[in-house]
Amino acid sequence: MKEILYIVVPCYNEEEVLPETSKRLKEKVTGLIQAGKVSEHSRILFVNDGSRDRTWELISALHRDDPIFSGVDLTRNRGHQNALLAGLMTAKDKCDMAISMDADLQDDVDAVDRMVEEYYAGCDIVYGVRSSRKKDTFFKRFTAEGFYRMMDLMGAETVFNHADYRLMSRRALEGLSQFKEVNLFLRGMVPMVGYRAGTVEYERGERFAGESKYPLKKMLAFAMEGITSLSTKPLKMITALGFLIFAVSIVMLITFIVKWAMGLTVAGWASVICSVWAIGGLILLSLGVIGEYIGKIYLETKGRPRFLIREVLDDEG
């Protein structure tokens, strides 16, 4: 019996691109069905993440016209990661494998075929990895690759040049469902699920229409979210820095005592003032990092739902 595929697509204000996205994805899934690679019960699942435009209206119309399209409408905007998780958890009990991708058509739709092949070859997780960043500007390439390197440096395990374009089998989705944290960073959580994994390289294209949902400011916030959600290395670095400053202060104290004993005086206040400002800044920075972790603990202890679903449109055939 052929396996059921669900393609999960989070959408936030995507009315400009949705008609073209739905057309291309329908062609892809229909082609896989006709080729006998996936079941005729395979679906394209759009998740409306509290859009303020006509996104849900378009999703509803697509579902009415063709049951290959399904929809999930969240009660409010919860962010890309929560919307993606909502779609994956909705698809979990309906499919054998699920592929997540963005709605902007930057992810190469043709890579779906190779992901499905890797799944049949025994992989429970298949990562879509960018083969190059030739089309990016220098600034975009520098910041994006710096993002992944910083994540690795800070102890957050990620796949280099992989965003959220991936295939997961049902048992991998079951494993992901057991991660109960409220602060989501799926790029780091999925590798923690384990199981056999593979990669598929693809060339990322330009956004078909609309505006990017991840400007630099949001990318920096996303990186901070990932680091503090997956790693305690920043706290260890603060501890190491504290020991280093303490050691330097002991050396300076001994130096001043020796100079005092030799009758030498220390001229000028510049070094003192600089030291006070530097240590004060480090203290505030350390308190800020610790505050980030305390804030996450606060949110986790509340146990708030990661998403709430208003409506599900799905015809499983």
Side-chain angles (χ1 to χ4, degrees), residues 5 7 21-35 37-38 44 68 99 101 108-114 116 165:
L5 166 68
I7 297 182
T21 302
S22 59
K23 175 186 173 184
R24 293 193 194 180
L25 290 180
K26 180 181 177 180
E27 290 174 354
K28 176 55 62 181
V29 174
T30 301
L32 289 170
I33 293 172
Q34 292 174 348
K37 293 182 178 180
V38 299
I44 300 159
I68 199 172
I99 293 178
M101 64 186 302
D108 183 11
V109 175
D110 291 331
V112 168
D113 301 72
R114 287 176 285 149
V116 171
Y165 190 21

Side-chain angles (χ1 to χ4, degrees), residues 20 28 30 73 78 83 93 106 109 147 153 155-156 182 198 228 245 255 260 262 280 284 286 300 311:
E20 183 65 22
K28 176 55 62 181
T30 301
D73 187 25
R78 298 305 302 267
D93 297 323
Q106 288 187 279
V109 175
F147 167 83
L153 181 65
V182 173
T228 53
I245 292 175
T255 302
W260 175 80
M262 295 173 63
L284 289 175
S286 301
E300 293 291 344
E311 185 178 1

Side-chain angles (χ1 to χ4, degrees), residues 195-294:
Y195 297 122
R196 181 179 170 184
T199 60
V200 166
E201 291 191 349
Y202 70 98
E203 189 73 30
R204 190 167 169 86
E206 298 292 332
R207 183 179 176 87
F208 182 79
E211 298 179 351
S212 172
K213 305 303 186 296
Y214 273 95
L216 179 61
K217 182 180 179 181
K218 282 194 174 182
M219 281 297 295
L220 291 173
F222 190 52
M224 179 61 72
E225 180 77 19
I227 292 167
T228 53
S229 294
L230 298 171
S231 173
T232 58
K233 195 167 184 178
L235 294 175
K236 295 177 182 177
M237 291 174 67
I238 288 174
T239 303
L241 183 63
F243 276 115
L244 177 62
I245 292 175
F246 178 72
V248 171
S249 68
I250 294 297
V251 171
M252 294 300 293
L253 178 62
I254 294 172
T255 302
F256 291 146
I257 292 173
V258 170
K259 286 186 175 183
W260 175 80
M262 295 173 63
L264 300 175
T265 59
V266 180
W269 292 93
S271 58
V272 175
I273 296 300
C274 288
S275 298
V276 169
W277 277 95
I279 294 173
L282 288 172
I283 291 172
L284 289 175
L285 175 63
S286 301
L287 287 174
V289 173
I290 293 169
E292 284 285 333
Y293 281 94
I294 293 174

Side-chain angles (χ1 to χ4, degrees), residues 12-271:
Y12 178 65
N13 295 339
E14 300 288 5
E15 66 175 349
E16 293 182 58
V17 74
L18 205 52
E20 183 65 22
T21 302
S22 59
K23 175 186 173 184
R24 293 193 194 180
L25 290 180
K26 180 181 177 180
E27 290 174 354
K28 176 55 62 181
V29 174
T30 301
L32 289 170
I33 293 172
Q34 292 174 348
K37 293 182 178 180
V38 299
S39 168
E40 61 183 8
H41 300 307
S42 297
R43 297 288 181 264
I44 300 159
L45 178 63
F46 292 112
V47 182
N48 179 41
D49 185 22
S51 299
R52 296 190 298 268
D53 60 6
R54 296 174 55 250
T55 295
W56 181 244
E57 183 181 332
L58 293 175
I59 294 171
S60 301
L62 287 168
H63 175 71
R64 285 194 303 270
D65 294 339
D66 193 333
I68 199 172
F69 295 108
S70 298
V72 172
D73 187 25
L74 303 185
T75 57
R76 61 181 293 272
N77 177 254
R78 298 305 302 267
H80 178 272
Q81 298 291 281
N82 294 70
L84 179 53
L85 184 68
L88 292 174
M89 294 301 100
T90 300
K92 175 171 64 72
D93 297 323
K94 305 172 185 289
C95 69
D96 297 296
M97 53 180 154
I99 293 178
S100 59
M101 64 186 302
D102 291 337
D104 56 18
L105 292 176
Q106 288 187 279
D107 296 325
D108 183 11
V109 175
D110 291 331
V112 168
D113 301 72
R114 287 176 285 149
M115 287 184 174
V116 171
E117 289 173 4
E118 288 291 316
Y119 167 79
Y120 283 123
C123 291
D124 284 284
I125 302 172
V126 184
Y127 300 103
V129 177
R130 293 187 63 166
S131 56
S132 69
R133 288 185 174 271
K134 296 177 182 178
K135 296 180 181 179
D136 290 349
T137 63
F138 171 78
F139 179 76
K140 174 65 177 176
R141 183 167 60 252
F142 176 79
T143 54
E145 292 184 351
F147 167 83
Y148 292 103
R149 292 192 175 95
M150 182 176 69
M151 295 298 292
D152 289 339
L153 181 65
M154 291 292 113
E157 181 185 353
T158 58
V159 178
F160 190 74
N161 271 339
H162 163 71
D164 286 301
Y165 190 21
R166 71 179 74 88
L167 177 148
M168 298 184 70
S169 68
R170 176 182 286 190
R171 72 170 181 171
L173 291 172
E174 289 285 356
L176 181 63
S177 69
Q178 296 180 43
F179 288 71
K180 301 300 183 182
E181 56 256 53
V182 173
N183 302 283
L184 296 177
F185 187 74
L186 295 177
R187 299 181 196 185
M189 291 168 62
V190 172
M192 295 170 65
V193 173
Y195 297 122
R196 181 179 170 184
T199 60
V200 166
E201 291 191 349
Y202 70 98
E203 189 73 30
R204 190 167 169 86
E206 298 292 332
R207 183 179 176 87
F208 182 79
E211 298 179 351
S212 172
K213 305 303 186 296
Y214 273 95
L216 179 61
K217 182 180 179 181
K218 282 194 174 182
M219 281 297 295
L220 291 173
F222 190 52
M224 179 61 72
E225 180 77 19
I227 292 167
T228 53
S229 294
L230 298 171
S231 173
T232 58
K233 195 167 184 178
L235 294 175
K236 295 177 182 177
M237 291 174 67
I238 288 174
T239 303
L241 183 63
F243 276 115
L244 177 62
I245 292 175
F246 178 72
V248 171
S249 68
I250 294 297
V251 171
M252 294 300 293
L253 178 62
I254 294 172
T255 302
F256 291 146
I257 292 173
V258 170
K259 286 186 175 183
W260 175 80
M262 295 173 63
L264 300 175
T265 59
V266 180
W269 292 93
S271 58

